[in-house]
């Protein structure tokens, strides 16, 4: 990207935007004093403080270097299992999110028309009173369910959930249906757990990645694991229509035809079952439904899959053999953002079953998510009121197997627009950017038009905030406490390393304030943030001081799992369900079944999306440090295709789908299938409050068509077909 | 056109059109230089990460120094070799050199990032740096030239005593001047020795300093011819054709040595295959060899060309063009700087270099100042002595 | 960490995922301006034709040469080579001539073209993070690298590690440790699966590129003295000869007039 953001260094930038801080430096700030008490900071406010990254959901451990009350460098915490001393580029750049000159540092109330971006600053008193009054007014007029709440996974989410469930609304939107619903539901249906662990031990020999671009969509420790496994000589087979950086490190890259991964995996099952390559004793002991599976996959021969996937039958067959041979030291990775096609659920089931069939112990036996495990305490709170209203997102009345806390976000949005089964009137959004992250941006904005009141809690004027009525500025992750989080046998802390700038406040504080104003203060029984953390630690006997000093503490009873554990699956049958009764009962195929994905017309392309290492979703493009090292976002197109269309590198093109049209520049590359185009998500922002990011690139969300996988509720992000022409 | 610097009463400026042009060029250069000092070199030039040196270094430094080589040639011939008959050519050559080096110095003050620190070179010495040697030589030589030229100035201001005093002790300075010139004329070639990986093998050779020195001699000879010819035309005075003819006779000899060295070295280094296989580089190479050496050898070997004023001038111009191309080649055209290959931040992305108009205007302005200064000196100081005037003071008395 | 006698890095191109965390880390650690950098990605990017593709990128910063050409070239001695590795630059001496940029065969130093004389235009390049390595930390770029494509340690040890890795993975690497010998040895060592030239590394001999110019500089003063002596001799000789000739002429004249 050639645009020069600013000549000034970012420390100065931060200082320029935060006059208050300079004055605050006269007295040791509160946080600095607390850290000083701990020996983490000296009298001048210099030192190192341990905390946790929040640039993405992986939450690596950090050690923040603080000089005179300003954070100047973040390093990975070597003791943290997610960072091991390393940080990805986003983690490295985190302090620039905090010192972003575009930070919102005081509550804002809309003063112009929606979307005009005219706001006036307000006090927290005024803003919170206004929010509470509006919400209560909506409840009074239309019932609590007319308030929609949505938030993307974060550490204060339990308190956010308190807010809505205690208030009485069933309408909870999370990012999950845009992200990993297919994977989560498939694992739940098969193993009774959301996400099995993936252990990259020394013995791991074979890794099958289906669209998991682990070397760009980074999770620091797992990315490290993968590279080290490759270093040790593990074979990596990678399916992706694009030649990503992961593809470049894989032993074998298979440019599969989008949506047809299912055919590939069904054919693997066919070979493994048909040629008796599976682990018979494991299957007999631990699974049910093998016969149903065998009957179904019988027809999915490699020869059948070859034309669908574009992968030769011999290759498929060979991979099946290699995979089975490498088992149990093999891993078929589910992927993470598995929201690709309406058949993605079946793909996920097939992958999950693949691991079970060959008895990949390291994969199927351990739960990956330990974050919400109940080893910690919590403030006491009353039971939630019973909520009788239907959920707007169709769970479970339309999506019977989608878990409640997962939901179907895009459907929620659609039903705000349709007013069916009832009309929503307000939306509280925290730590989320649905204007960008939901498909069909035009429709999301239409949903906004239907609403009387929208409030957003964020740290910058993201696109959603831009269209909101009230914006509540949260303290950034370097400025606040969040609830403690246990990972494995340790518990980790996020603690402020600098004073919050301006008027920014922690979510723990904001939710409590709102709770009290909404008459549900009982659900927020903590005096302040530290008190909340102390109540969490109460059952463990660990002191807050200890954990603050080190950044983490060992939990006395480590939740353990592993081969020794008595095999007991949290499914209705207590076994791994190759055939799922649950699915069958609600009318879905009980075993993975071929479902033809739709195909683009002659002149259309699959529009692919996928992360780049230098940004997270839709919220970090304004980070100047990341912007500095980002490539210009352009529409990827295969060189041959471009030649046929008479398009050249850097040409401006018009990309059109059935719901929208965008203009962007072309990147002609060898690194993509000829029938696909690709766009980096997170550009084409609408908010002019993002001075660095505004005006760069285009938004794939503006052309994404909304399709929902009927089983998992996952959005089908690769199922949008577009035409491309020169402008 | 005639230089007319008479200032009329009531402060009416009445310059000739040429002077106006020169003054305007100087004005533009001044303003451009101010912009550069305030906003940085990037504000006016296309210099970049890939091209730290460009037009200024090739033109102002490399060309500027080599075309000032007439001074030490004439001083050396007249004083050291005692070839008294060249005396009429001495003063203009020394003046040209003096002004030439002042122009180089001024240009460097624009090109240097920290012009105010140029004197650091006098106190912080890094003995392995060729640039240090050049810096010191140029500064010292400028002083020597000032001393060599001082008598002319003193005479102009009717301070004959002072002029005589300097004449008396001139010899050590002349020797020093020749040594310094030898050193830095050749060291400009040494400057590029550190770029074996960047400078194209058709040019890079460990004997670059010798190549530079040899070619500097030919250029010096040509420059004396050029400047005598031009000034004789301009000031409408007689041309010392018989003297110039002698210089012209030496040129083919010097250039022949140059060619032997050049091709001998290429053969020795086993680089002959580059002669025809390097695309644009081959073309540049042959252009400089043909124009700067082969053509002048042929031209000046023809007696008629040496005898005629026009012939001398034409030959000198051809040689100069070729050799200036050589200086541009070694310092710019044939230097291959790093290319960003995959991803580089914006400031590294400028891999192509094209001197900007402001950049050229600075050089032009300084050049204009040089011409104006030469004109003033020629008009007001006894630069052109009458050849047969025995009473005219000369350095050697 | 074992004792480090000669600080060095090892870069393994087969591990680098071009994530640029190292670059962000360097920018933060060293407070680099938003439009500058000391470290960048070079290489061919993607090569080949769909679907037979290969990727080659590498992280580029100062090589901390054992015989630094920047240092050799700088007229005012603004560069220093520490005995234990790092090559550093002192802005207080720099006159801004940019000769170091020409001299460095790796194109490492860069200059503030956007600064006037009041703000001060300087050279910048990777320093090896002395503020970190002399305080027991790894350089910022190394520490953050999520794939350990960048490693840091003692040069001898890293060279051994590099050779061991090549030997342990037959066919994966080009059998060469770039920087072990190049330009007289560098502190940045590189192993790769694609030719080093495609990573943007110049093909350099084991003799430092400054060798010839340093030799020439060595003989400069003796040459100058010698040349001066010769010229003095010639001048004296010519003078003598001329005087003699004049004298003979005068004598001849006198003789004639007798
Ligand atoms: N740098 C960075 N890292 C991140 C994130 C981030 O925003 N930035 N986000 C985090 C989050 S929330 C998530 S969910 C994960 C997501 O991580 P991943 O699961 O790796 O998801 P994506 O990068 O969205 O998409 C991966 C690849 O899927 C390919 N693809 C598209 N359609 C198909 C298809 O039909 N079949 C196959 N086989 N491939 C297809 C795309 O080309 C893309 O390369 O990353 C996490 N890590
Ligand atoms: N086209 C397209 N759509 C996608 C995807 C894709 O690859 N392409 N990926 C999908 C996936 S995998 C996911 S997980 C979703 C994510 O979808 P979202 O969660 O909606 O998107 P994010 O950009 O992660 O939103 C995070 C918001 O939190 C704000 N924020 C950052 N830090 C803080 C903080 O400390 N406090 C508060 N209150 N706010 C903060 C950011 O400014 C940003 O606005 O998007 C999905 N949608
Ligand atoms: S993966 Fe990167 S962004 Fe995510 S938590 Fe770790 S360092 Fe932060
Ligand atoms: S790489 Fe260049 S800048 Fe670095 S030490 Fe070597 S010569 Fe100097
Ligand atoms: S620019 Fe500065 S550091 Fe570089 S050679 Fe010149 S004086 Fe030395
Ligand atoms: S060693 Fe330090 S200065 Fe050099 S590139 Fe790495 S982080 Fe930057
Ligand atoms: S941090 Fe490591 S993997 Fe990422 S670009 Fe730098 S060297 Fe490569
Ligand atoms: Mo996600």
């Amino acid at each position: 990207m050639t645009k020069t953001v600013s000549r000034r260094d970012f420390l100065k930038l931060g200082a320029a935007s935060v006059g208050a801080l300079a004055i605050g430096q006269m007295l040791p700030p509160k946080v600095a004093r607390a850290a000083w008490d701990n020996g983490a900071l000296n009298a001048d406010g210099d030192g190192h403080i341990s905390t946790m990254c929040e640039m993405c959901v992986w939450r690596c451990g950090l050690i923040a270097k603080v000089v005179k009350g300003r954070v100047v460098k973040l390093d990975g915490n070597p003791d943290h299992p997610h960072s091991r001393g390393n940080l990805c580029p986003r983690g490295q750049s985190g302090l620039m999110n905090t010192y972003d000159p575009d930070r919102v540092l005081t509550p804002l109330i809309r003063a112009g028309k929606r979307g005009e971006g005219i706001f006036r600053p307000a006090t927290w008193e005024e803003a919170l009173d206004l929010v509470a009054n509006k919400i209560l007014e909506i409840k009074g007029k239309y019932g609590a369910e007319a308030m929609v709440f949505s938030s993307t996974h974060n550490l204060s989410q339990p308190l956010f959930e308190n807010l809505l469930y205690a208030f009485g609304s069933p309408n909870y939107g999370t990012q999950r249906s845009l992200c990993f619903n297919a994977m989560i539901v498939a694992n739940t249906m098969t193993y009774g757990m959301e996400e099995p662990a993936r252990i990259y031990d020394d013995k791991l020999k074979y890794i099958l990645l289906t669209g998991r671009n682990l070397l760009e969509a980074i999770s620091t420790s797992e990315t490290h694991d993968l590279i080290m496994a490759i270093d040790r000589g593990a074979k990596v087979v990678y399916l992706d229509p694009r030649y990503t950086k992961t593809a470049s490190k894989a032993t074998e890259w298979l440019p599969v035809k989008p949506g047809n991964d299912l055919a590939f995996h069904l054919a693997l099952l066919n070979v493994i079952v048909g040629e008796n390559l599976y682990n018979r004793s494991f299957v007999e002991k631990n699974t049910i439904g093998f016969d149903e599976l065998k009957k179904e996959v019988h027809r999915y021969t490699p020869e059948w899959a070859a034309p669908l996937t574009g992968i030769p039958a011999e290759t498929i067959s060979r991979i099946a053999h290699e995979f089975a041979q490498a088992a149990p030291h093999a891993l078929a990775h589910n992927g993470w953002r598995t929201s690709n096609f309406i058949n993605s659920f079946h793909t996920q089931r097939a992958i999950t079953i693949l691991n079970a069939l060959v008895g990949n112990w390291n994969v199927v036996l351990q739960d990956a998510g330990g974050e919400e495990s109940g080893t910690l305490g919590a403030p006491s709170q009353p039971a939630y009121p019973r909520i009788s209203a239907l959920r707007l997102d169709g769970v479970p009345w339309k999506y019977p197997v989608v878990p409640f806390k997962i939901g179907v976000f895009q459907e929620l949005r659609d039903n705000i627009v349709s007013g069916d089964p009832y009309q929503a009137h307000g939306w509280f959004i925290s730590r989320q950017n649905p204007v960008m992250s939901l498909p069909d941006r035009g429709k999301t904005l239409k949903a906004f038009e239907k609403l009387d009141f929208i409030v957003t809690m964020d740290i910058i004027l993201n696109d959603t905030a831009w269209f909101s009525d009230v914006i509540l500025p949260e303290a950034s992750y370097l400025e606040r406490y969040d609830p403690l989080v246990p990972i494995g046998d340790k518990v980790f802390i996020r603690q402020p390393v600098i004073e919050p700038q301006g008027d920014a406040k922690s979510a723990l504080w904001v939710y409590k304030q709102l709770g009290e104003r909404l008459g549900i203060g009982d659900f927020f029984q903590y005096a302040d943030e530290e008190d909340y953390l102390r109540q969490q630690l109460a059952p463990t006997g660990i002191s807050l001081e200890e954990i603050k000093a080190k950044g983490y503490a060992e939990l006395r009873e480590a939740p353990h799992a592993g081969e020794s554990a008595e095999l007991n699956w949290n499914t209705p049958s207590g076994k791994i369900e190759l055939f799922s009764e649950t699915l069958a009962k609600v009318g879905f195929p009980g075993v993975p079944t071929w479902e033809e994905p739709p195909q683009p017309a002659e002149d259309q392309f699959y529009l692919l999306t996928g992360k780049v290492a230098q940004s997270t979703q839709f919220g970090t493009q304004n980070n100047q440090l990341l912007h500095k090292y980002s490539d210009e976002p352009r529409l990827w197109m295969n060189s041959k295709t471009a030649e046929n269309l008479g398009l050249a590198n850097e040409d401006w093109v018009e990309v059109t789908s059935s719901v929208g049209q965008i203009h962007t520049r072309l990147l002609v590359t060898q690194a993509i299938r000829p029938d696909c185009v690709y766009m980096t998500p997170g550009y084409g922002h609408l908010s002019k409050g993002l001075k660095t990011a505004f005006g760069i690139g285009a938004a794939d969300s503006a052309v994404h068509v909304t399709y929902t996988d009927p089983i998992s509720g996952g959005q089908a992000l690769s199922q949008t077909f577009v035409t491309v022409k020169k402008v | 056109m005639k230089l007319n610097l008479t200032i009329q009463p009531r402060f009416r400026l009445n310059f000739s059109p040429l002077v106006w042009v020169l003054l305007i060029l100087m004005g533009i250069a001044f303003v451009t230089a101010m912009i550069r000092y305030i906003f940085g070199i990037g504000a006016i030039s296309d210099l970049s990460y890939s091209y730290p040196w460009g037009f200024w270094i090739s033109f102002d430094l490399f060309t500027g120094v080599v075309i000032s080589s007439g001074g030490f040639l004439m001083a050396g011939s007249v004083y050291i070799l005692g070839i008294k008959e060249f005396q009429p050519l001495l003063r203009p050559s020394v003046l040209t050199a003096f002004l030439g080096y002042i122009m180089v110095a001024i240009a460097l003050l624009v090109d240097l990032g920290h012009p105010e620190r140029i004197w650091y070179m006098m106190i912080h010495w890094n003995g392995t740096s060729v640039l240090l040697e050049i810096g010191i030589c140029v500064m010292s030589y400028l002083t020597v030239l000032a001393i060599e030229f001082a008598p002319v100035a003193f005479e102009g201001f009717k301070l004959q005593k002072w002029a005589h005093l300097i004449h008396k002790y001139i010899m050590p300075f002349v020797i020093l001047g020749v040594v310094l010139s030898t050193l830095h004329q050749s060291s400009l070639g040494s400057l590029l020795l550190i770029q074996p990986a960047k400078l194209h093998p058709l040019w890079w050779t460990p004997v670059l300093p010798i190549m530079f020195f040899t070619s500097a001699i030919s250029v010096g000879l040509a420059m004396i011819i050029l400047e005598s010819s031009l000034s004789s035309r301009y000031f409408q005075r007689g041309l010392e054709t018989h003297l110039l003819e002698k210089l012209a006779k030496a040129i083919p000899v010097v250039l022949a040595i140059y060619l032997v060295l050049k091709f001998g070295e290429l053969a020795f280094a086993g680089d002959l295959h580059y002669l025809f296989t390097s695309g644009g580089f081959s073309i540049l190479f042959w252009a400089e060899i043909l124009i700067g050496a082969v053509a002048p050898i042929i031209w000046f070997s023809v007696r008629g060309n040496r005898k005629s004023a026009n012939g001398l001038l034409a030959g000198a111009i051809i040689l100069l063009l070729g050799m200036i191309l050589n200086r541009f080649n070694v310092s710019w055209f044939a230097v291959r700087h790093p290319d960003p290959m995959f991803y580089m931040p914006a400031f590294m992305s400028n891999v192509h270099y094209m001197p900007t108009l402001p950049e050229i205007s600075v050089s032009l302005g300084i050049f204009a100042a040089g011409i104006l200064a030469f004109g003033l000196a020629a008009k007001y100081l006894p630069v052109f002595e009458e050849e047969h005037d025995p009473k005219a003071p000369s350095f050697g008395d | 960490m074992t004792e480090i006698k000669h600080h060095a890095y090892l870069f393994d191109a087969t591990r680098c995922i071009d994530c640029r965390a190292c670059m962000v880390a360097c920018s933060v650690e060293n407070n680099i301006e938003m439009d500058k950098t000391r470290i960048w990605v070079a290489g061919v990017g993607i090569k080949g034709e769909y679907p037979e593709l290969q990727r080659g990128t590498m992280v580029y910063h100062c090589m901390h040469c054992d015989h630094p050409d920047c240092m050799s070239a700088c007229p005012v001695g603004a560069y220093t080579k520490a005995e234990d590795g790092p090559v550093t630059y002192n802005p207080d001496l720099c006159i801004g001539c940019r000769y170091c940029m020409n001299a460095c065969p790796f194109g490492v130093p860069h200059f503030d073209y956007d600064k006037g004389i009041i703000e001060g235009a300087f050279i910048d390049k990777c320093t090896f993070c002395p503020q970190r390595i002399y305080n027991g930390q790894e350089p910022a770029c190394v520490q953050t690298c999520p794939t350990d494509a960048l490693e840091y340690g003692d040069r001898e040890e890293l060279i051994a590690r590099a050779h061991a890795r090549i030997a342990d993975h037959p066919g994966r690497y080009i059998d060469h440790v770039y920087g072990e010998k190049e330009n007289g040895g560098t502190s940045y060592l590189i192993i790769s699966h694609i030719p080093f030239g495609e990573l943007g590394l110049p093909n350099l001999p084991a003799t430092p590129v400054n060798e010839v110019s340093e030799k020439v500089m060595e003989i400069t003063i003796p040459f100058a003295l010698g040349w001066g002596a010769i010229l003095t001799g010639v001048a004296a000789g010519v003078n003598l000869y001329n005087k003699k000739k004049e004298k003979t002429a005068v004598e001849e004249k006198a003789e004639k007039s007798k």
Side-chain angles (χ1 to χ4, degrees), chain B residues 177-198:
Chain B
V178 175
V179 171
L180 290 172
S181 290
T182 315
L183 284 182
H184 75 256
Q185 288 290 355
S186 52
S187 295
L188 274 176
S190 311
L191 206 52
L192 308 162
L193 285 177
I194 206 156
Q195 302 186 320
K198 293 182 179 174

Side-chain angles (χ1 to χ4, degrees), chain A residues 109-119 134 138 147 416 423-429 435 443-456 463-471 686-688:
Chain A
I109 295 174
R110 180 164 62 81
K113 286 209 215 74
R114 271 212 195 126
E116 264 185 350
I118 302 170
F119 299 98
K134 283 281 181 186
I138 288 171
M147 260 317 288
I416 294 174
Q423 185 60 54
H425 290 273
W427 193 347
F428 188 138
I429 301 149
V435 166
K443 201 168 188 184
T444 311
L445 293 176
K446 224 176 259 153
F448 275 24
E449 282 167 20
K450 294 270 182 159
L451 300 172
D452 309 338
F453 185 65
I454 305 165
V455 50
T456 295
D463 311 82
T464 302
W466 188 252
F467 290 94
S468 299
D469 302 317
V470 176
I471 298 145
L686 292 175
S687 168
K688 296 196 181 97

Side-chain angles (χ1 to χ4, degrees), chain A residues 161-455:
Chain A
E161 288 166 6
N162 273 359
L163 214 51
L164 70 126
Y165 292 138
F167 175 73
S169 172
N171 290 315
Y172 184 21
T174 76
Q175 90 291 0
R176 294 175 171 96
S177 66
L178 314 170
C179 177
F180 52 38
N181 265 30
M183 181 263 283
I184 297 271
V185 179
N187 280 314
T188 310
M189 292 292 121
T190 317
Y191 301 138
M193 59 177 147
E194 288 194 347
E195 196 178 357
R198 298 172 293 272
I199 299 169
Y200 297 75
D201 61 13
D202 288 356
K203 295 192 208 117
L204 189 61
K205 286 202 286 258
Y206 208 87
I207 303 167
L208 182 54
L209 296 171
T210 306
R212 177 68 180 101
N213 187 9
L214 199 40
L215 303 187
E216 288 184 90
I218 294 179
S219 304
T220 304
S221 51
E222 198 179 348
T223 301
H224 184 254
D225 282 339
L226 179 65
I227 286 286
M228 288 307 139
I230 294 173
D231 222 51
R232 283 191 299 266
K235 177 159 187 182
V236 176
V237 174
Y238 178 68
L239 278 82
D240 195 314
R242 283 194 307 142
Y243 185 74
T244 59
K245 288 167 189 170
T246 310
S248 74
K249 302 290 179 200
T251 330
E252 204 167 344
W253 168 51
L254 303 175
V256 63
K257 187 164 176 196
N260 289 275
D261 319 66
L262 177 56
F264 175 82
H265 286 288
L266 288 173
L268 290 186
L269 292 178
N270 170 286
V271 176
I272 285 171
V273 171
E275 301 185 25
N276 285 322
L277 303 174
Y278 58 95
N279 183 331
R280 188 176 299 270
S281 63
F282 183 85
V283 168
E284 272 167 12
K285 204 165 139 221
N286 298 303
T287 70
I288 60 157
F290 182 76
D291 294 336
E292 288 91 335
L293 179 75
K294 187 170 178 174
K295 219 171 99 202
E296 179 63 28
V297 301
H298 179 68
R299 58 195 179 110
Y300 306 130
T301 61
E303 289 69 27
W304 163 84
L308 293 169
T309 55
I311 302 167
E314 312 80 71
T315 308
I316 301 175
S317 173
R318 173 174 51 78
I319 289 170
H321 281 266
E322 288 172 354
F323 184 75
Q325 223 153 47
H329 305 297
L331 156 61
H333 196 302
N334 276 110
W336 192 350
R337 185 190 59 75
T338 48
S339 53
N340 284 328
F341 271 86
I342 50 163
N343 64 10
S344 288
F345 172 76
H346 287 299
T347 313
Q348 288 303 309
R349 273 270 286 165
I351 295 172
T352 298
I353 286 174
L354 201 57
N355 282 320
L357 281 186
V358 298
N360 284 338
W361 293 78
N362 282 343
V363 187
V364 298
L365 290 183
Q366 218 170 317
D367 195 332
E371 289 202 0
E372 280 127 293
S373 57
T375 35
L376 295 182
S380 58
Q381 62 182 56
Y384 291 134
R386 220 182 72 79
I387 300 167
S388 51
L390 281 183
R391 278 174 67 127
L392 273 175
D393 65 1
V395 178
W397 49 277
K398 189 169 168 193
Y399 299 100
V401 297
V402 174
F404 241 64
K405 70 172 203 190
I406 283 179
V408 183
F409 198 13
Q410 66 276 17
E411 188 90 10
L412 176 63
R413 187 267 326 263
D414 287 359
N415 290 347
I416 294 174
V417 177
S418 68
D420 189 32
Y422 52 84
Q423 185 60 54
H425 290 273
W427 193 347
F428 188 138
I429 301 149
S430 175
R431 222 202 167 285
Q432 195 177 51
N433 194 357
V435 166
M436 296 289 282
S437 59
L438 280 166
D440 197 350
R441 183 163 75 183
K443 201 168 188 184
T444 311
L445 293 176
K446 224 176 259 153
F448 275 24
E449 282 167 20
K450 294 270 182 159
L451 300 172
D452 309 338
F453 185 65
I454 305 165
V455 50

Side-chain angles (χ1 to χ4, degrees), chain C residues 9 22-23 25-27 29-30 32 38-39 59-62 64 125-133 139-142 150:
Chain C
Y9 333 68
C22 47
M23 294 160 216
C26 178
S27 272
E29 172 71 33
N30 299 299
I32 306 294
R38 287 178 178 174
I39 168 171
V59 158
Y60 219 133
H61 57 61
C62 177
H64 298 279
K125 74 161 199 66
C126 156
T127 56
F128 219 134
C129 282
Q131 73 282 14
R132 291 176 69 101
I133 60 173
C141 52
V142 176
L150 276 171

